[in-house]
Amino acid sequence: MANGPRSLGPAGTFRLEPPRLRTINEAGGERHATWFELYFDLVFVAAASQLGTGLARNLSAAGFARFAALSVPIVWAWIVYALYANRFDTDDLVFRLAKAGGMLAIAAVTVNVHPLMDGHGGSVGFALAYVVLRGFLIGLYIRARLHVRGRARRLCEVYIVGYSSTTALWLASVFVPTPGRFVLWGVAMAIDLVIPTHAWAVIKGASIVVSHLTERFGTFFIIVLGESVVAVVAGVADIDFTLQSWLVAGICFVIALCLWWVYFDLADTSVVGRGVLGLVFVYAHFPLLAGVGVFGDGTRLAIEQASEPGLSAAARWALAGGIAAFALSLAIIHVGAEWTSLRDRACLGRLAVAAIAITLAAAGGAIAPLAFVALIGAVVLGQLLLEAFTPRTGAASAWAPRLPEAEAAPHPNAAAPW
């Protein structure tokens, strides 16, 4: 078996390179996504679009529940491939072909989102496509195990055994009628989410390449936020805009800009480099991305209902509930960082944003749409300004006095690695 890179063509594009654990040599350095990783992300644009469209057709409690339930396996499909690439990506012929198979599988998953969101079938096709998607990933881990040694091999074995067992549950669900089929999906996902806690502990200090992982999640955040903007524009393209509609649209655009600003410039992601605790960053993105997604539907409804006496419950919960999910997720990530605590102004502010947003969603039916959106906008903009002017020193909190300048040097991991 060859131990080094080989090329199957003069141009080198069909290169074969054995996988290696990249986190050991690159954990402290910079590494960025490859062009093929970015290409892989594009298929998830379609998945995000189908989820958002399905929710837009049924903004009810059942619609929100289906959106949340389907978002988890779809986002997880992206995460598991991103984690493999973070550790073993060689960007060679075998990796590209396997990941291309995964892209085709997620496309098949996406095709079945529409009937599932409408409650009219699609579950068998979804499960079978998900099995194929997982099969390619397991194959990549089997290949990596053949070439790596020590802790890296043990890591691969944890994923191979764990993901094979949960993939078997997905396959078995095809032969079980609903609602039992969905129960098996839930069990498989619950086990899947536990597997990385053991796998990350295997390699301890060299769990992941921080720069690469934060960049990958940032890319996915942009995909979901961008898809929300596209969905809003498409959804309101045919309505007759009034002054109120334009003002609501403008404020919602400012809110979206603030979300981007806080996420990329002010979110402390140092938790990513804290071994198994870095999974806080990974798992917190489930509600964060879902929140950004439903915010787009809330924006569209708020624009359509701008001249009404008040927003519908669906519009309020999509708009304000999405903001609450975003703020709570960032608060959780913030608390997990090495130098922060629940006493930090940024964290307290995010918790306050979530509380205000939930209150408005629940009891804001009598508030005029423009005033409702303006209140949400003021809260989000206020949080952006609060975080922008809060010193990044663990001592700068709402209750503790600020330390003298000589003692208030930021923790070396305080700077967000975006």
Side-chain angles (χ1 to χ4, degrees):
M1 183 181 298
N3 293 322
R6 290 187 295 133
S7 176
L8 301 183
T13 191
F14 294 136
R15 177 178 54 85
L16 295 174
E17 182 177 343
R20 59 185 174 83
L21 184 60
R22 304 188 62 176
T23 61
I24 295 176
N25 296 326
E26 302 175 44
E30 288 289 323
R31 180 173 145 220
H32 301 286
T34 65
W35 291 116
F36 194 74
E37 285 184 281
L38 298 177
Y39 180 45
F40 177 79
D41 292 345
L42 292 179
V43 72
F44 286 90
V45 175
S49 175
Q50 285 298 303
L51 282 170
T53 302
L55 180 60
R57 290 194 303 269
N58 183 19
L59 276 165
S60 62
F64 279 114
R66 288 174 186 149
F67 175 86
L70 290 175
S71 292
V72 172
I74 289 176
V75 172
W76 186 241
W78 180 90
I79 289 174
V80 292
Y81 272 89
L83 291 177
Y84 174 87
N86 184 270
R87 294 173 176 130
F88 298 110
D89 182 9
T90 51
D91 198 29
D92 69 336
L93 178 62
V94 175
F95 177 79
R96 289 183 178 183
L97 291 179
K99 206 163 183 177
M103 292 172 66
L104 187 60
I106 197 64
V109 167
T110 301
V111 168
N112 289 282
V113 167
H114 186 134
L116 275 170
M117 285 295 294
D118 289 344
H120 300 129
S123 59
V124 171
F126 187 98
L128 287 174
Y130 210 75
V131 168
V132 175
L133 174 76
R134 302 290 295 264
F136 282 110
L137 179 70
I138 293 168
L140 285 171
Y141 274 113
I142 291 174
R143 183 198 183 207
R145 184 191 177 279
L146 295 175
H147 294 280
V148 298
R149 297 291 182 269
R151 292 179 297 169
R153 171 170 285 192
R154 177 57 184 151
L155 173 74
C156 292
E157 291 169 349
V158 171
Y159 279 123
I160 292 168
V161 173
Y163 287 165
S164 294
S165 64
T166 52
T167 301
L169 289 176
W170 279 94
L171 182 59
S173 74
V174 173
F175 306 100
V176 177
T178 57
R181 180 174 299 146
F182 301 135
V183 172
L184 282 180
W185 291 9
V187 172
M189 282 306 310
I191 297 173
D192 251 20
L193 293 174
V194 173
I195 292 170
T197 63
H198 180 47
W200 283 39
V202 169
I203 50 178
K204 296 182 180 178
S207 300
I208 42 86
V209 181
V210 174
S211 60
H212 176 265
L213 195 68
T214 51
E215 180 182 284
R216 297 298 291 125
F217 274 89
T219 302
F220 202 50
F221 174 81
I222 284 292
I223 288 174
V224 176
L225 184 61
E227 178 54 39
S228 295
V229 173
V230 170
V232 170
V233 173
V236 301
D238 296 328
I239 73 170
D240 294 325
F241 272 75
T242 63
L243 176 60
Q244 291 96 324
S245 300
W246 281 114
L247 290 173
V248 167
I251 295 171
C252 286
F253 175 80
V254 172
I255 294 173
L257 178 62
C258 290
L259 299 184
W260 173 89
W261 212 308
V262 169
Y263 184 87
F264 283 102
D265 265 18
L266 299 169
D268 185 339
T269 57
S270 59
V271 66
V272 182
R274 301 189 67 189
V276 177
L277 195 58
L279 286 168
V280 169
F281 175 83
V282 174
Y283 295 154
H285 274 78
F286 284 114
L288 187 150
L289 294 170
V292 172
V294 300
F295 169 75
D297 286 308
T299 296
R300 178 184 59 80
L301 287 176
I303 294 172
E304 293 175 349
Q305 300 173 18
S307 300
E308 300 294 327
L311 290 176
S312 64
R316 297 197 312 273
W317 279 107
L319 187 67
I323 296 298
F326 175 86
L328 280 174
S329 301
L330 283 187
I332 293 170
I333 293 173
H334 189 86
V335 173
E338 285 187 280
W339 67 288
T340 56
S341 73
L342 281 169
R343 296 172 60 185
D344 294 329
R345 294 181 189 131
C347 184
L348 288 172
R350 290 169 186 172
L351 294 175
V353 168
I356 294 171
I358 291 172
T359 300
L360 287 172
I367 303 175
L370 181 56
F372 186 96
V373 173
L375 283 171
I376 293 291
V379 169
V380 174
L381 180 59
Q383 179 63 21
L384 170 62
L385 296 176
L386 171 67
E387 296 195 31
F389 291 103
T390 296
R392 293 189 176 190
T393 63
S397 71
W399 301 312
R402 186 175 177 184
L403 294 177
E405 186 174 348
E407 300 178 28
H411 190 282
N413 290 331
W418 292 122

